Amino acid sequence: MNNLNNHEMQRAEAVLSSLHPIAYEDTLNVLKSYVTACNKQKDVHWVCDSAPGQGKTTALKALTKEMALKRAANPLLIVFNNKDTMNSYYEEISEFARKHHRPFLIQYLNEDNFTRVYDEVDQYQVLCITQQRLRDLRLGYGDSCKIMYEAKEGQRARERLLIIDETPVFMNDADFDISSKDNAVDWFDHLGDVSSLDEEDMHFGRILINKLIAKEMESGEQITKNLFRYIEGGESGVRLNEILSKLKLDTAKREHVDKYKWFLKLLRQDNVGVLERSKYGTKIMCAEAIDYKPMGNILILDGTSYLMPSFYSGYIMKEVKNYHNYKGRLNLHHRAISTSASSRTPETIELISEDVIMLRTKYGKVLPLMAKSDVQRYIDMKVFAENQISLFETKTIRDFTESHSEMPLNIFNTVGKNVLSDFDSLALLNLPIRHPSSYKKYAIALFGTETNIRINDGNFSNWFEDEVVQGLYEEMFMADIVQIIHRCALRNINETTPVHIFLYTNQKRWVERLQEHFGLPNRNMTKVQLRSKVQEKFKNDCETWAVKSLEYCKAELKVNNTPFGVSVYSSAIGGKKLKEWMKSNWNDEIKREKIIEAFENKGVKIRVASNGYKMIEYNE
């Protein structure tokens, strides 16, 4: 770093002043150690778990500049989660290159400049790409040698050291669904169009492929067997093979080529897909893990990697001490209300919106985060401050080009969104829980098609029947929410201002998990129950029936005078009215929990008999 000029030193000092100096140095030392290890051995596969906000990207910039000033320094391939982060890194290193007369120090590659720079990308010491491009390279798309090697004219080609910023894309997947929500032959229609298939071939292929998938769905099996068995030895099989051989992939969209390749596997191989049957229909889910280790030496910078051990088998974890002052800064506020997808009714959205607006009177510029599907609903409720709306609105292609921005902000698009660090308070209007099929496909990819991916109906604490799948879901959820929480001003590690996170959920176990994870004392925690008029009425009904049950059981106990207490049918206490009320609300997990809680607060327990009837039990 001694060779840097004064201006660069001043800028570096300004950046470093916002970082914890020891955390930054520890992180930079991991990066330097990685380079040293790669010069001594092959197959270096490391993960740096330096917590968010501890200077991973800044250390990466410092390492790049230091290596740029050395002769014969290793060429690098830097992989970024999004364009925002990639452009920030590229612009700073590019400016450094200009001042040090290094025209071939750094280049980036994406769809905007691909045709302009691709021919010469192997001339640069440092090349930047996105994680999606890395995934495509690993799956066989594109010339990996062109990307993975520096090949300057007159010099021996040198393999790049691979550094991945944030969690890479670990899964290659596809769904085949013949319901109204999807089209199992969308890929075939697209490939047939770009391949100029005649109308007869298009018609025959589309119908036959749909029939094969439908027949497999009707088989009653959980795991697919080769679809070709249904047409093997017949004219249909021969005709399908001929049609598939006519498809041209060179000019087709990548997503359709992916699905075509998955279909070929389903067609020829057993144990490729898993059939998911639900009330919404049946679909075939295909998924496989992507292993990047064969690509060479790798360092992954993932501050939440320690939360996801299932994903990092075969990697050496390089731990960096966490220097965040959570106890002194972080406050978690549980705003208790059901925010599952089915619970986010207009009434719930309105109640949450009113609460967020009220919170601003005390906590200032609270930034709300919500599911992408709910953004417009909250815009309509005027829940955003004026300077916040633009972060959530869909931008035009021109906006993307000029601002280097990607998708608008939502609860699943916060990584690399540095604007969040301006906010001391975040309101998570629902938890970052993905669709269950996402966790199921990760389980299939990591553990195989024979994994039990069934949902555990009726169990509020364990979403999945299989403990391994449940554990994977919990790993991913905790990594997602911890990453989001660190995106706010909490990542400004040297600041002392308090940070407030408002969690809108009825799942108190996640709030408790977060309290434990961050090591927060009870003084850093608050809880407020939010109830609509309907919810308030239900709460009152619970308490009313609990009191009546207690009075009835006490009277029965007085008459029977038994030391074993009393156990009576709910209908004996409140007749058909209580029986039907209990029955209509019992299957709703949240309502059932509220009923049990209200009764237990009065000293009365509810037991479900083998015949399904509810028994009310009491013993003094």
Side-chain angles (χ1 to χ4, degrees), residues 60-301:
L60 181 57
K61 291 175 181 177
L63 175 76
T64 307
K65 292 175 182 178
E66 186 173 312
M67 293 180 67
L69 298 175
K70 293 180 179 179
R71 284 193 169 191
N74 303 77
L76 302 174
L77 178 64
I78 314 294
V79 184
F80 292 95
N81 179 274
N82 58 78
K83 291 181 184 178
D84 287 347
T85 309
M86 182 170 75
N87 278 287
S88 172
Y89 171 85
Y90 169 78
E91 288 168 4
E92 183 171 329
I93 303 302
S94 183
E95 181 184 348
F96 175 90
R98 285 193 297 272
K99 290 179 178 178
H100 289 80
H101 311 290
R102 292 288 311 279
F104 284 92
L105 174 61
I106 187 168
Q107 185 57 273
Y108 72 92
L109 185 65
N110 64 21
E111 66 274 14
D112 299 328
N113 70 348
F114 186 90
T115 55
R116 179 168 53 85
V117 305
Y118 180 73
D119 287 343
E120 61 178 21
V121 292
D122 53 0
Q123 303 295 303
Y124 291 86
Q125 180 182 337
V126 181
L127 179 61
C128 307
I129 63 173
T130 61
Q131 290 189 6
Q132 192 62 41
R133 188 172 297 278
L134 180 71
R135 167 215 179 259
D136 290 345
L137 286 173
R138 184 67 186 99
L139 295 179
Y141 298 109
D143 184 352
S144 61
C145 288
K146 187 79 173 175
I147 305 297
M148 293 299 301
Y149 284 82
E150 178 197 49
K152 292 185 177 180
E153 188 175 348
Q155 297 181 14
R156 180 176 58 86
R158 298 190 301 165
E159 188 174 6
R160 299 182 185 276
L161 305 186
L162 181 55
I163 300 177
I164 305 175
D165 190 29
E166 304 291 352
T167 313
V169 180
F170 273 123
M171 181 173 67
N172 175 33
D173 67 292
D175 290 336
F176 292 86
D177 186 349
I178 57 175
S179 71
S180 60
K181 290 190 175 184
D182 197 3
N183 179 0
V185 292
D186 52 356
W187 60 273
F188 179 77
D189 291 341
H190 172 77
L191 294 180
D193 185 46
V194 299
S195 305
S196 301
L197 282 188
D198 61 44
E199 186 175 342
E200 188 176 343
D201 280 347
M202 289 286 289
H203 182 70
F204 181 88
R206 185 184 297 115
I207 290 177
L208 183 58
I209 291 169
N210 264 325
K211 282 183 177 179
L212 292 174
I213 292 173
K215 203 166 184 64
E216 189 67 6
M217 289 177 174
E218 295 169 357
S219 68
E221 299 292 333
Q222 194 68 29
I223 303 172
T224 61
K225 295 182 179 179
N226 74 88
L227 304 184
F228 202 75
R229 70 189 191 276
Y230 294 118
I231 53 175
E232 191 167 14
E235 292 183 7
S236 293
V238 174
R239 178 89 182 272
L240 180 61
N241 284 333
E242 291 175 350
I243 293 172
L244 293 175
S245 68
K246 296 178 183 178
L247 298 179
K248 299 175 182 178
L249 310 182
D250 293 344
T251 59
K253 291 183 179 179
R254 190 64 45 81
E255 61 187 279
H256 297 305
V257 176
D258 279 345
K259 208 160 182 179
Y260 160 76
K261 290 183 176 181
W262 274 113
F263 177 74
L264 290 186
K265 290 181 182 179
L266 287 170
L267 190 66
R268 301 296 182 187
Q269 302 173 29
D270 294 341
N271 304 324
V272 170
V274 176
L275 289 108
E276 181 189 45
R277 296 177 173 87
S278 68
K279 61 182 178 181
Y280 303 108
T282 302
K283 66 180 178 181
I284 297 174
M285 297 193 303
C286 303
E288 63 181 1
I290 301 177
D291 183 7
Y292 294 100
K293 293 192 290 295
M295 298 186 77
N297 295 326
I298 300 175
L299 172 64
I300 301 175
L301 306 176

Side-chain angles (χ1 to χ4, degrees), residues 303-365:
T304 54
S305 55
Y306 63 99
L307 290 168
M308 300 194 299
S310 297
F311 290 82
Y312 288 107
S313 175
Y315 289 86
I316 295 176
M317 195 69 63
K318 295 295 178 178
E319 298 180 5
V320 174
K321 183 179 177 180
N322 190 334
Y323 292 93
H324 280 283
N325 179 19
Y326 297 123
K327 291 182 181 178
R329 294 189 66 198
L330 180 59
N331 301 275
L332 297 183
H333 305 276
H334 184 190
R335 315 300 280 185
I337 184 172
S338 179
T339 54
S340 63
S342 60
S343 299
R344 297 200 293 272
T345 62
E347 185 180 30
T348 299
I349 297 291
E350 182 178 3
L351 188 62
I352 292 174
S353 300
E354 291 173 353
D355 190 61
V356 173
I357 293 169
M358 180 274 296
L359 288 174
R360 286 207 180 98
T361 62
K362 180 178 180 181
Y363 296 97
K365 53 176 188 176

Side-chain angles (χ1 to χ4, degrees), residues 461-462 470-478 509-510 513:
S461 58
N462 287 317
Q470 176 68 20
L472 179 65
Y473 153 58
E474 293 182 8
E475 285 182 25
M476 294 179 65
F477 171 80
M478 286 296 293
R509 67 195 181 98
W510 288 125
R513 281 280 294 273

